[in-house]
Amino acid sequence: MAAADPELVAIAEAFALPGPVTAIAPLGNGNVNDTYRVDTASGESFVLQRLNTAVFAEPELVMANLQVLSAHAQQRPLAGQRWEVPRVIHHRHSGQPWLKAGGEFWRLTSFVNDAVTLDAIASPAQAMQVGRGLGLFHNLISDLPADQLADTLPGFHITPTYLAAYDQILQSSQLQPCERAGWCKAFIAARRGLATVLETAKAEGRLLLRPIHGDPKVNNVMLCAQTGVAVSLVDLDTVKPGLVHYDIGDCLRSACNPAGEEAPPGDPIHFDLDLCQAVLEGYLGAARACLSEVDIDHIFAAVRLISFELGLRFFSDHLAGDIYFRCQRPGHNLERALVQFKLTESIEAQEQAIRTIVEGLR
Ligand code: GN1
Ligand code: MG
C-alpha cells in the first residue's frame, strides 16, 4: 500500500484520534467535498473531509447542524435495529469540531463499519433498503424542530432559483453552442412551468418545512455488509430545513435509475417501476406516520421535479465552466445533465404507473 500523504496524516492526527494513523485513502466519489478514509492503529476508522467552502460558505454552521443531529439521535435510539449517525470528532487541542488550516476547513467523523454503499441499485431488495434507510432517517428527525437547524446552503433545492440562475448563465456563457446543449435548452424551455410546483405548495402552507437530509442519493445510504439492511445515512452536510419531497424525489431519481447518474453517453436511461415500488414500500413502511395525505399527493411531482432540477443544475454548471460539480473530463456535466433529462422523460412517460404505485401504498 502507498504511504499515506504526510500532510493528510498531520491533519487527521490534529483530531482526537484513539491512536496513530496507519492509512489514509480517498473514499467515495462525492462531487463537492474531498473525502478520505482514515485507519488508525487502534483498529478504529474515521472519515476525514475537506469541506468545499465555495459551496458551504459557513462551514461552522454545517458542523453545528451535525452536532444538533447527533445529540437528537442519541436521545432517539431506534429500538431493536442497528442505526448509526456519524459522530463528530473534535480537535485535540482547540476542542472545536474542525481544523482550519491554510484557508481550508477540515472535519473528522466516525466511520460506519461493516457497511457498503452502491452507486446504482441492482435489485428491488436493495431499493427497498435504500427507501427504508431514508424513511428511518425521516422518522428519526421528524421531531427535531426545524428552527434548531441553520440554513447552510440557501437556495438548495429551490428549483425556481436554479432556473433564474440558469437564465443568467445562458446570457453570459462563452461556450460554443452544440447539438446536445441545444437539446437541453429546448428540454428546459418546455418545462419551465414545472419549476414552482413544490415551492408554491410550500408558500401556500400545503407542504411544511421540516428537517431533511438534502442528498439521499443511493450511495449515501449505507447497507450492512452481511445482511444488506440499511444502517446509516451519511453525507450530512445538507441536513437543514426543507421539504421531505426534496429527499423523496432525490432518492427515487437516484435509486430507480439502474444505469446510474454517471452512465456513459448513449446508454439507455430509464426510470424503473419495480425499483420505484420497492423504494416507496421501504420508505413508507418506515416514514408513513410522518407524512400527511397532501405529502403523498406530491410524490410524483417530487420525483419528476428533482430529476429535472439536477439536470438543470448540471447543465447550468456546464454553461458556467464547471465551477460547482467536480468533473473528470470536459463535457462531463453536460453528459450528467443528459442522463437526468432522459430520466425525467422516462418519469413523465410513466406518470400514470408511478401515480398508481403511490396510490397502492397510500
Ligand atoms: C452533490 O457531493 P455529492 O456527490 O454528495 C450535490 C447533490 C447532488 C449530487 C449529484 C451540496 O452531492 O445535491 O444531487 O452531487 N450536493 C450539493 O451527484 O450540491
Ligand atoms: Mg452530498
PDB file of all heavy atoms in Angstrom, residues 303-332:
ATOM      1  N   VAL A 303     -40.564  13.501  -7.689  1.00  0.00           N
ATOM      2  CA  VAL A 303     -39.548  12.736  -8.434  1.00  0.00           C
ATOM      3  C   VAL A 303     -39.317  13.353  -9.812  1.00  0.00           C
ATOM      4  O   VAL A 303     -38.176  13.458 -10.287  1.00  0.00           O
ATOM      5  CB  VAL A 303     -39.883  11.227  -8.522  1.00  0.00           C
ATOM      6  CG1 VAL A 303     -41.181  10.956  -9.184  1.00  0.00           C
ATOM      7  CG2 VAL A 303     -38.765  10.479  -9.251  1.00  0.00           C
ATOM      8  N   ARG A 304     -40.386  13.822 -10.427  1.00  0.00           N
ATOM      9  CA  ARG A 304     -40.218  14.468 -11.728  1.00  0.00           C
ATOM     10  C   ARG A 304     -39.374  15.742 -11.576  1.00  0.00           C
ATOM     11  O   ARG A 304     -38.446  15.998 -12.339  1.00  0.00           O
ATOM     12  CB  ARG A 304     -41.603  14.818 -12.275  1.00  0.00           C
ATOM     13  CG  ARG A 304     -41.540  15.459 -13.620  1.00  0.00           C
ATOM     14  CD  ARG A 304     -42.916  15.934 -14.031  1.00  0.00           C
ATOM     15  NE  ARG A 304     -42.911  16.320 -15.429  1.00  0.00           N
ATOM     16  CZ  ARG A 304     -43.859  17.077 -15.977  1.00  0.00           C
ATOM     17  NH1 ARG A 304     -44.888  17.488 -15.263  1.00  0.00           N
ATOM     18  NH2 ARG A 304     -43.784  17.402 -17.246  1.00  0.00           N
ATOM     19  N   LEU A 305     -39.702  16.526 -10.554  1.00  0.00           N
ATOM     20  CA  LEU A 305     -39.036  17.812 -10.390  1.00  0.00           C
ATOM     21  C   LEU A 305     -37.561  17.665 -10.028  1.00  0.00           C
ATOM     22  O   LEU A 305     -36.706  18.365 -10.582  1.00  0.00           O
ATOM     23  CB  LEU A 305     -39.734  18.640  -9.296  1.00  0.00           C
ATOM     24  CG  LEU A 305     -39.155  20.042  -9.138  1.00  0.00           C
ATOM     25  CD1 LEU A 305     -39.503  20.898 -10.361  1.00  0.00           C
ATOM     26  CD2 LEU A 305     -39.635  20.716  -7.870  1.00  0.00           C
ATOM     27  N   ILE A 306     -37.239  16.766  -9.105  1.00  0.00           N
ATOM     28  CA  ILE A 306     -35.842  16.706  -8.640  1.00  0.00           C
ATOM     29  C   ILE A 306     -34.926  16.134  -9.728  1.00  0.00           C
ATOM     30  O   ILE A 306     -33.765  16.534  -9.847  1.00  0.00           O
ATOM     31  CB  ILE A 306     -35.725  15.938  -7.296  1.00  0.00           C
ATOM     32  CG1 ILE A 306     -36.566  16.640  -6.210  1.00  0.00           C
ATOM     33  CG2 ILE A 306     -34.276  15.823  -6.839  1.00  0.00           C
ATOM     34  CD1 ILE A 306     -36.132  18.049  -5.835  1.00  0.00           C
ATOM     35  N   SER A 307     -35.457  15.239 -10.559  1.00  0.00           N
ATOM     36  CA  SER A 307     -34.650  14.754 -11.697  1.00  0.00           C
ATOM     37  C   SER A 307     -34.383  15.913 -12.659  1.00  0.00           C
ATOM     38  O   SER A 307     -33.253  16.130 -13.112  1.00  0.00           O
ATOM     39  CB  SER A 307     -35.385  13.646 -12.456  1.00  0.00           C
ATOM     40  OG  SER A 307     -35.840  12.671 -11.562  1.00  0.00           O
ATOM     41  N   PHE A 308     -35.449  16.657 -12.955  1.00  0.00           N
ATOM     42  CA  PHE A 308     -35.321  17.821 -13.837  1.00  0.00           C
ATOM     43  C   PHE A 308     -34.356  18.839 -13.224  1.00  0.00           C
ATOM     44  O   PHE A 308     -33.458  19.366 -13.900  1.00  0.00           O
ATOM     45  CB  PHE A 308     -36.708  18.444 -14.050  1.00  0.00           C
ATOM     46  CG  PHE A 308     -36.674  19.764 -14.773  1.00  0.00           C
ATOM     47  CD1 PHE A 308     -36.352  19.825 -16.119  1.00  0.00           C
ATOM     48  CD2 PHE A 308     -36.972  20.945 -14.097  1.00  0.00           C
ATOM     49  CE1 PHE A 308     -36.310  21.056 -16.784  1.00  0.00           C
ATOM     50  CE2 PHE A 308     -36.937  22.172 -14.754  1.00  0.00           C
ATOM     51  CZ  PHE A 308     -36.599  22.226 -16.094  1.00  0.00           C
ATOM     52  N   GLU A 309     -34.531  19.088 -11.936  1.00  0.00           N
ATOM     53  CA  GLU A 309     -33.702  20.095 -11.253  1.00  0.00           C
ATOM     54  C   GLU A 309     -32.221  19.728 -11.296  1.00  0.00           C
ATOM     55  O   GLU A 309     -31.366  20.575 -11.545  1.00  0.00           O
ATOM     56  CB  GLU A 309     -34.168  20.229  -9.796  1.00  0.00           C
ATOM     57  CG  GLU A 309     -33.335  21.219  -9.006  1.00  0.00           C
ATOM     58  CD  GLU A 309     -33.595  21.124  -7.514  1.00  0.00           C
ATOM     59  OE1 GLU A 309     -34.571  21.725  -7.044  1.00  0.00           O
ATOM     60  OE2 GLU A 309     -32.804  20.443  -6.813  1.00  0.00           O
ATOM     61  N   LEU A 310     -31.918  18.448 -11.060  1.00  0.00           N
ATOM     62  CA  LEU A 310     -30.499  18.059 -11.063  1.00  0.00           C
ATOM     63  C   LEU A 310     -29.929  18.198 -12.474  1.00  0.00           C
ATOM     64  O   LEU A 310     -28.796  18.641 -12.657  1.00  0.00           O
ATOM     65  CB  LEU A 310     -30.321  16.630 -10.519  1.00  0.00           C
ATOM     66  CG  LEU A 310     -28.868  16.177 -10.392  1.00  0.00           C
ATOM     67  CD1 LEU A 310     -28.042  17.121  -9.499  1.00  0.00           C
ATOM     68  CD2 LEU A 310     -28.776  14.745  -9.848  1.00  0.00           C
ATOM     69  N   GLY A 311     -30.738  17.863 -13.488  1.00  0.00           N
ATOM     70  CA  GLY A 311     -30.300  18.079 -14.871  1.00  0.00           C
ATOM     71  C   GLY A 311     -30.022  19.560 -15.116  1.00  0.00           C
ATOM     72  O   GLY A 311     -29.004  19.935 -15.712  1.00  0.00           O
ATOM     73  N   LEU A 312     -30.920  20.395 -14.629  1.00  0.00           N
ATOM     74  CA  LEU A 312     -30.765  21.851 -14.781  1.00  0.00           C
ATOM     75  C   LEU A 312     -29.495  22.333 -14.069  1.00  0.00           C
ATOM     76  O   LEU A 312     -28.749  23.171 -14.590  1.00  0.00           O
ATOM     77  CB  LEU A 312     -32.016  22.513 -14.182  1.00  0.00           C
ATOM     78  CG  LEU A 312     -32.105  24.025 -14.126  1.00  0.00           C
ATOM     79  CD1 LEU A 312     -32.163  24.601 -15.538  1.00  0.00           C
ATOM     80  CD2 LEU A 312     -33.356  24.451 -13.339  1.00  0.00           C
ATOM     81  N   ARG A 313     -29.233  21.785 -12.880  1.00  0.00           N
ATOM     82  CA  ARG A 313     -28.039  22.194 -12.126  1.00  0.00           C
ATOM     83  C   ARG A 313     -26.767  21.755 -12.859  1.00  0.00           C
ATOM     84  O   ARG A 313     -25.808  22.519 -12.956  1.00  0.00           O
ATOM     85  CB  ARG A 313     -28.069  21.585 -10.716  1.00  0.00           C
ATOM     86  CG  ARG A 313     -29.193  22.124  -9.850  1.00  0.00           C
ATOM     87  CD  ARG A 313     -29.289  21.370  -8.532  1.00  0.00           C
ATOM     88  NE  ARG A 313     -28.081  21.511  -7.720  1.00  0.00           N
ATOM     89  CZ  ARG A 313     -27.741  20.683  -6.722  1.00  0.00           C
ATOM     90  NH1 ARG A 313     -28.510  19.641  -6.423  1.00  0.00           N
ATOM     91  NH2 ARG A 313     -26.653  20.896  -6.039  1.00  0.00           N
ATOM     92  N   PHE A 314     -26.762  20.519 -13.376  1.00  0.00           N
ATOM     93  CA  PHE A 314     -25.577  20.045 -14.111  1.00  0.00           C
ATOM     94  C   PHE A 314     -25.375  20.879 -15.383  1.00  0.00           C
ATOM     95  O   PHE A 314     -24.256  21.285 -15.707  1.00  0.00           O
ATOM     96  CB  PHE A 314     -25.740  18.567 -14.506  1.00  0.00           C
ATOM     97  CG  PHE A 314     -25.492  17.564 -13.393  1.00  0.00           C
ATOM     98  CD1 PHE A 314     -26.303  16.427 -13.272  1.00  0.00           C
ATOM     99  CD2 PHE A 314     -24.439  17.707 -12.499  1.00  0.00           C
ATOM    100  CE1 PHE A 314     -26.077  15.474 -12.280  1.00  0.00           C
ATOM    101  CE2 PHE A 314     -24.205  16.758 -11.498  1.00  0.00           C
ATOM    102  CZ  PHE A 314     -25.026  15.644 -11.386  1.00  0.00           C
ATOM    103  N   PHE A 315     -26.480  21.127 -16.097  1.00  0.00           N
ATOM    104  CA  PHE A 315     -26.359  21.856 -17.360  1.00  0.00           C
ATOM    105  C   PHE A 315     -25.901  23.300 -17.104  1.00  0.00           C
ATOM    106  O   PHE A 315     -25.051  23.827 -17.829  1.00  0.00           O
ATOM    107  CB  PHE A 315     -27.690  21.815 -18.124  1.00  0.00           C
ATOM    108  CG  PHE A 315     -27.601  22.433 -19.491  1.00  0.00           C
ATOM    109  CD1 PHE A 315     -26.656  21.986 -20.415  1.00  0.00           C
ATOM    110  CD2 PHE A 315     -28.456  23.469 -19.862  1.00  0.00           C
ATOM    111  CE1 PHE A 315     -26.560  22.568 -21.676  1.00  0.00           C
ATOM    112  CE2 PHE A 315     -28.365  24.044 -21.126  1.00  0.00           C
ATOM    113  CZ  PHE A 315     -27.414  23.594 -22.031  1.00  0.00           C
ATOM    114  N   SER A 316     -26.448  23.921 -16.071  1.00  0.00           N
ATOM    115  CA  SER A 316     -26.032  25.295 -15.744  1.00  0.00           C
ATOM    116  C   SER A 316     -24.548  25.332 -15.416  1.00  0.00           C
ATOM    117  O   SER A 316     -23.829  26.255 -15.801  1.00  0.00           O
ATOM    118  CB  SER A 316     -26.815  25.825 -14.529  1.00  0.00           C
ATOM    119  OG  SER A 316     -28.191  25.842 -14.811  1.00  0.00           O
ATOM    120  N   ASP A 317     -24.088  24.298 -14.697  1.00  0.00           N
ATOM    121  CA  ASP A 317     -22.675  24.271 -14.324  1.00  0.00           C
ATOM    122  C   ASP A 317     -21.806  24.055 -15.571  1.00  0.00           C
ATOM    123  O   ASP A 317     -20.720  24.624 -15.684  1.00  0.00           O
ATOM    124  CB  ASP A 317     -22.432  23.169 -13.275  1.00  0.00           C
ATOM    125  CG  ASP A 317     -21.117  23.378 -12.533  1.00  0.00           C
ATOM    126  OD1 ASP A 317     -20.738  24.554 -12.305  1.00  0.00           O
ATOM    127  OD2 ASP A 317     -20.460  22.383 -12.170  1.00  0.00           O
ATOM    128  N   HIS A 318     -22.306  23.258 -16.499  1.00  0.00           N
ATOM    129  CA  HIS A 318     -21.592  23.085 -17.778  1.00  0.00           C
ATOM    130  C   HIS A 318     -21.448  24.447 -18.466  1.00  0.00           C
ATOM    131  O   HIS A 318     -20.355  24.828 -18.897  1.00  0.00           O
ATOM    132  CB  HIS A 318     -22.374  22.104 -18.658  1.00  0.00           C
ATOM    133  CG  HIS A 318     -21.893  22.026 -20.067  1.00  0.00           C
ATOM    134  ND1 HIS A 318     -20.670  21.476 -20.411  1.00  0.00           N
ATOM    135  CD2 HIS A 318     -22.461  22.463 -21.238  1.00  0.00           C
ATOM    136  CE1 HIS A 318     -20.510  21.566 -21.724  1.00  0.00           C
ATOM    137  NE2 HIS A 318     -21.570  22.161 -22.240  1.00  0.00           N
ATOM    138  N   LEU A 319     -22.548  25.195 -18.518  1.00  0.00           N
ATOM    139  CA  LEU A 319     -22.517  26.508 -19.184  1.00  0.00           C
ATOM    140  C   LEU A 319     -21.602  27.483 -18.452  1.00  0.00           C
ATOM    141  O   LEU A 319     -20.975  28.353 -19.056  1.00  0.00           O
ATOM    142  CB  LEU A 319     -23.927  27.096 -19.256  1.00  0.00           C
ATOM    143  CG  LEU A 319     -24.944  26.340 -20.113  1.00  0.00           C
ATOM    144  CD1 LEU A 319     -26.331  26.975 -19.978  1.00  0.00           C
ATOM    145  CD2 LEU A 319     -24.517  26.322 -21.585  1.00  0.00           C
ATOM    146  N   ALA A 320     -21.544  27.316 -17.119  1.00  0.00           N
ATOM    147  CA  ALA A 320     -20.738  28.239 -16.302  1.00  0.00           C
ATOM    148  C   ALA A 320     -19.258  27.874 -16.300  1.00  0.00           C
ATOM    149  O   ALA A 320     -18.454  28.591 -15.703  1.00  0.00           O
ATOM    150  CB  ALA A 320     -21.280  28.248 -14.876  1.00  0.00           C
ATOM    151  N   GLY A 321     -18.894  26.749 -16.917  1.00  0.00           N
ATOM    152  CA  GLY A 321     -17.481  26.356 -16.958  1.00  0.00           C
ATOM    153  C   GLY A 321     -17.094  25.387 -15.856  1.00  0.00           C
ATOM    154  O   GLY A 321     -15.942  25.393 -15.408  1.00  0.00           O
ATOM    155  N   ASP A 322     -18.052  24.580 -15.384  1.00  0.00           N
ATOM    156  CA  ASP A 322     -17.768  23.513 -14.394  1.00  0.00           C
ATOM    157  C   ASP A 322     -17.151  24.073 -13.106  1.00  0.00           C
ATOM    158  O   ASP A 322     -16.045  23.700 -12.705  1.00  0.00           O
ATOM    159  CB  ASP A 322     -16.821  22.444 -14.993  1.00  0.00           C
ATOM    160  CG  ASP A 322     -17.388  21.821 -16.264  1.00  0.00           C
ATOM    161  OD1 ASP A 322     -18.622  21.654 -16.342  1.00  0.00           O
ATOM    162  OD2 ASP A 322     -16.603  21.519 -17.180  1.00  0.00           O
ATOM    163  N   ILE A 323     -17.866  24.943 -12.473  1.00  0.00           N
ATOM    164  CA  ILE A 323     -17.321  25.570 -11.259  1.00  0.00           C
ATOM    165  C   ILE A 323     -17.893  24.978  -9.976  1.00  0.00           C
ATOM    166  O   ILE A 323     -17.417  25.273  -8.892  1.00  0.00           O
ATOM    167  CB  ILE A 323     -17.556  27.105 -11.262  1.00  0.00           C
ATOM    168  CG1 ILE A 323     -19.049  27.415 -11.466  1.00  0.00           C
ATOM    169  CG2 ILE A 323     -16.701  27.779 -12.320  1.00  0.00           C
ATOM    170  CD1 ILE A 323     -19.376  28.894 -11.453  1.00  0.00           C
ATOM    171  N   TYR A 324     -18.914  24.145 -10.057  1.00  0.00           N
ATOM    172  CA  TYR A 324     -19.564  23.640  -8.836  1.00  0.00           C
ATOM    173  C   TYR A 324     -19.322  22.138  -8.665  1.00  0.00           C
ATOM    174  O   TYR A 324     -18.740  21.712  -7.680  1.00  0.00           O
ATOM    175  CB  TYR A 324     -21.064  23.957  -8.910  1.00  0.00           C
ATOM    176  CG  TYR A 324     -21.851  23.644  -7.655  1.00  0.00           C
ATOM    177  CD1 TYR A 324     -22.194  24.644  -6.746  1.00  0.00           C
ATOM    178  CD2 TYR A 324     -22.267  22.345  -7.371  1.00  0.00           C
ATOM    179  CE1 TYR A 324     -22.920  24.363  -5.580  1.00  0.00           C
ATOM    180  CE2 TYR A 324     -22.987  22.039  -6.222  1.00  0.00           C
ATOM    181  CZ  TYR A 324     -23.320  23.055  -5.333  1.00  0.00           C
ATOM    182  OH  TYR A 324     -24.039  22.761  -4.198  1.00  0.00           O
ATOM    183  N   PHE A 325     -19.766  21.350  -9.617  1.00  0.00           N
ATOM    184  CA  PHE A 325     -19.603  19.887  -9.522  1.00  0.00           C
ATOM    185  C   PHE A 325     -18.232  19.479 -10.071  1.00  0.00           C
ATOM    186  O   PHE A 325     -17.855  19.899 -11.169  1.00  0.00           O
ATOM    187  CB  PHE A 325     -20.682  19.174 -10.342  1.00  0.00           C
ATOM    188  CG  PHE A 325     -22.084  19.416  -9.856  1.00  0.00           C
ATOM    189  CD1 PHE A 325     -22.939  20.271 -10.538  1.00  0.00           C
ATOM    190  CD2 PHE A 325     -22.556  18.791  -8.708  1.00  0.00           C
ATOM    191  CE1 PHE A 325     -24.237  20.491 -10.097  1.00  0.00           C
ATOM    192  CE2 PHE A 325     -23.848  19.008  -8.254  1.00  0.00           C
ATOM    193  CZ  PHE A 325     -24.693  19.855  -8.953  1.00  0.00           C
ATOM    194  N   ARG A 326     -17.545  18.641  -9.309  1.00  0.00           N
ATOM    195  CA  ARG A 326     -16.237  18.165  -9.764  1.00  0.00           C
ATOM    196  C   ARG A 326     -16.411  17.346 -11.048  1.00  0.00           C
ATOM    197  O   ARG A 326     -17.321  16.523 -11.154  1.00  0.00           O
ATOM    198  CB  ARG A 326     -15.620  17.297  -8.672  1.00  0.00           C
ATOM    199  CG  ARG A 326     -14.255  16.775  -9.014  1.00  0.00           C
ATOM    200  CD  ARG A 326     -13.690  15.921  -7.880  1.00  0.00           C
ATOM    201  NE  ARG A 326     -13.543  16.671  -6.651  1.00  0.00           N
ATOM    202  CZ  ARG A 326     -14.066  16.293  -5.473  1.00  0.00           C
ATOM    203  NH1 ARG A 326     -14.766  15.199  -5.370  1.00  0.00           N
ATOM    204  NH2 ARG A 326     -13.880  17.034  -4.405  1.00  0.00           N
ATOM    205  N   CYS A 327     -15.536  17.578 -12.012  1.00  0.00           N
ATOM    206  CA  CYS A 327     -15.640  16.888 -13.313  1.00  0.00           C
ATOM    207  C   CYS A 327     -14.393  16.075 -13.598  1.00  0.00           C
ATOM    208  O   CYS A 327     -13.301  16.462 -13.201  1.00  0.00           O
ATOM    209  CB  CYS A 327     -15.767  17.926 -14.425  1.00  0.00           C
ATOM    210  SG  CYS A 327     -17.394  18.610 -14.517  1.00  0.00           S
ATOM    211  N   GLN A 328     -14.583  14.980 -14.336  1.00  0.00           N
ATOM    212  CA  GLN A 328     -13.443  14.156 -14.730  1.00  0.00           C
ATOM    213  C   GLN A 328     -12.952  14.502 -16.140  1.00  0.00           C
ATOM    214  O   GLN A 328     -11.882  14.097 -16.538  1.00  0.00           O
ATOM    215  CB  GLN A 328     -13.823  12.668 -14.699  1.00  0.00           C
ATOM    216  CG  GLN A 328     -13.321  11.930 -13.460  1.00  0.00           C
ATOM    217  CD  GLN A 328     -14.085  12.315 -12.224  1.00  0.00           C
ATOM    218  OE1 GLN A 328     -15.298  12.223 -12.202  1.00  0.00           O
ATOM    219  NE2 GLN A 328     -13.376  12.787 -11.206  1.00  0.00           N
ATOM    220  N   ARG A 329     -13.784  15.193 -16.913  1.00  0.00           N
ATOM    221  CA  ARG A 329     -13.408  15.494 -18.306  1.00  0.00           C
ATOM    222  C   ARG A 329     -14.282  16.637 -18.815  1.00  0.00           C
ATOM    223  O   ARG A 329     -15.368  16.863 -18.266  1.00  0.00           O
ATOM    224  CB  ARG A 329     -13.604  14.258 -19.206  1.00  0.00           C
ATOM    225  CG  ARG A 329     -15.003  13.692 -19.096  1.00  0.00           C
ATOM    226  CD  ARG A 329     -15.189  12.347 -19.774  1.00  0.00           C
ATOM    227  NE  ARG A 329     -16.527  11.845 -19.423  1.00  0.00           N
ATOM    228  CZ  ARG A 329     -16.800  11.169 -18.313  1.00  0.00           C
ATOM    229  NH1 ARG A 329     -15.843  10.888 -17.447  1.00  0.00           N
ATOM    230  NH2 ARG A 329     -18.035  10.773 -18.054  1.00  0.00           N
ATOM    231  N   PRO A 330     -13.830  17.309 -19.896  1.00  0.00           N
ATOM    232  CA  PRO A 330     -14.678  18.363 -20.468  1.00  0.00           C
ATOM    233  C   PRO A 330     -16.010  17.754 -20.935  1.00  0.00           C
ATOM    234  O   PRO A 330     -16.033  16.638 -21.450  1.00  0.00           O
ATOM    235  CB  PRO A 330     -13.871  18.874 -21.673  1.00  0.00           C
ATOM    236  CG  PRO A 330     -12.468  18.399 -21.452  1.00  0.00           C
ATOM    237  CD  PRO A 330     -12.554  17.161 -20.609  1.00  0.00           C
ATOM    238  N   GLY A 331     -17.079  18.452 -20.728  1.00  0.00           N
ATOM    239  CA  GLY A 331     -18.388  17.945 -21.172  1.00  0.00           C
ATOM    240  C   GLY A 331     -19.035  16.998 -20.178  1.00  0.00           C
ATOM    241  O   GLY A 331     -20.151  16.517 -20.402  1.00  0.00           O
ATOM    242  N   HIS A 332     -18.357  16.712 -19.064  1.00  0.00           N
ATOM    243  CA  HIS A 332     -18.879  15.742 -18.094  1.00  0.00           C
ATOM    244  C   HIS A 332     -20.226  16.203 -17.529  1.00  0.00           C
ATOM    245  O   HIS A 332     -21.180  15.424 -17.425  1.00  0.00           O
ATOM    246  CB  HIS A 332     -17.843  15.560 -16.976  1.00  0.00           C
ATOM    247  CG  HIS A 332     -18.093  14.399 -16.076  1.00  0.00           C
ATOM    248  ND1 HIS A 332     -17.217  14.006 -15.110  1.00  0.00           N
ATOM    249  CD2 HIS A 332     -19.141  13.543 -15.973  1.00  0.00           C
ATOM    250  CE1 HIS A 332     -17.696  12.965 -14.456  1.00  0.00           C
ATOM    251  NE2 HIS A 332     -18.874  12.665 -14.963  1.00  0.00           N
TER     252      HIS A 332
END
